[in-house]
Amino acid sequence: MNTNFRYLTNLESSFRLVRLVAIGAIVLSLAFAAVVAFWALDAVEKSKEKIYVLDNGKSLTLALAQDMNVNRSAEAKDHVRAFHRLFFNLDPDETAIDTHIREAAYYGDASIMRLYTDLREKGYFTQLIQGNVIQKVEIDSIALTGNQSPFSVRTHARQLLVRANTITTRRLITECNLIDIDRSDNNSHGFMIERLKVLENRDLETINRD
């Protein structure tokens, strides 16, 4: 009888031990799953806090979303800079000019095409082609009013008109507004230029080429 009692006691102890081990394994599994889930959610949230800003059209610079106002301003400036390079960097080739203008049109509203149409009707692009003139733009400064969209933007730049015998430098000042739109392959910054105006575009000097 005592032998049977000890057997039952040992059996009960074994079952108790098995239950404890099983419960411990379940608890550890749940704890591990919770840690993994927490880590995954934290990683996702941190990834959302990262954006990339194009630095002078050459490289991607990592930025943090908690500084969104600062970074959005940087994106706004790069959007305006990229537009000016597309619209005002021109070669004496009709196909190349049309390609640049089509790409620039994605950066803003109808005011971009109105400026293009006005220049075309004045024969500006024809003069570039016939005179074999290479036009380049150099951005001096981009000033934004406000810390977030909509921005008011004024750009100071210089245009270089390179001819066979001379180089003419012009002062270029433009003004526009920027509003937020959805990002796309053709508009990676998610901005639209509105009410583009050329405030000044006049010759500063002409030098002879050696």
Side-chain angles (χ1 to χ4, degrees):
M1 188 72 175
N2 291 334
T3 302
N4 290 336
F5 180 76
R6 285 196 301 270
Y7 174 76
L8 291 174
T9 302
N10 291 336
L11 187 60
E12 185 178 353
S13 298
S14 298
F15 281 138
R16 187 181 296 113
L17 180 61
V18 170
R19 284 198 302 270
L20 289 175
V21 171
I23 293 172
I26 292 172
V27 170
L28 288 175
S29 297
L30 292 175
F32 178 76
V35 170
V36 171
F38 176 79
W39 175 83
L41 289 173
D42 185 61
V44 170
E45 290 301 318
K46 286 182 178 179
S47 69
K48 291 179 180 179
E49 292 177 355
K50 296 178 181 179
I51 60 174
Y52 289 87
V53 179
L54 197 62
D55 182 18
N56 292 328
K58 297 179 181 178
S59 63
L60 289 173
T61 303
L62 183 63
L64 297 178
Q66 56 259 33
D67 297 325
M68 181 60 74
N69 288 342
V70 175
N71 294 322
R72 201 61 178 138
S73 297
E75 286 193 285
K77 289 182 179 180
D78 198 71
H79 184 86
V80 173
R81 185 181 294 109
F83 163 75
H84 280 75
R85 286 172 175 163
L86 282 171
F87 196 93
F88 295 104
N89 278 350
L90 301 174
D91 295 325
D93 180 278
E94 184 175 1
T95 301
I97 291 174
D98 289 343
T99 299
H100 272 228
I101 299 303
R102 280 198 303 270
E103 291 181 20
Y106 286 111
Y107 284 68
D109 65 3
S111 61
I112 291 175
M113 294 309 297
R114 282 198 296 270
L115 176 59
Y116 166 70
T117 301
D118 183 55
L119 291 172
R120 186 184 62 189
E121 290 177 351
K122 291 178 179 178
Y124 183 78
F125 300 108
T126 300
Q127 293 173 21
L128 290 181
I129 295 170
Q130 292 178 348
N132 199 34
V133 180
I134 299 172
Q135 178 176 288
K136 299 294 181 183
V137 66
E138 296 180 354
I139 307 297
D140 293 324
S141 66
I142 300 174
L144 271 64
T145 300
N147 294 321
Q148 58 185 4
S149 176
F151 294 103
S152 177
V153 187
R154 179 166 292 194
T155 303
H156 291 255
R158 287 169 294 154
Q159 282 180 286
L160 300 179
L161 302 179
V162 183
R163 300 179 176 86
N165 299 317
T166 62
I167 298 177
T168 298
T169 302
R170 285 180 178 170
R171 175 181 291 138
L172 174 67
I173 302 176
T174 66
E175 189 176 68
C176 68
N177 294 332
L178 280 183
I179 62 170
D180 285 310
I181 62 171
D182 291 336
R183 298 174 190 264
S184 68
D185 290 341
N186 294 313
N187 190 328
S188 59
H189 291 114
F191 278 113
M192 175 179 286
I193 293 172
E194 290 186 320
R195 302 176 184 178
L196 176 68
K197 297 178 183 177
V198 175
L199 302 180
E200 184 176 338
N201 190 9
R202 64 182 180 86
D203 291 355
L204 294 178
E205 64 173 353
T206 299
I207 61 174
N208 293 320
R209 298 180 65 183
D210 294 333

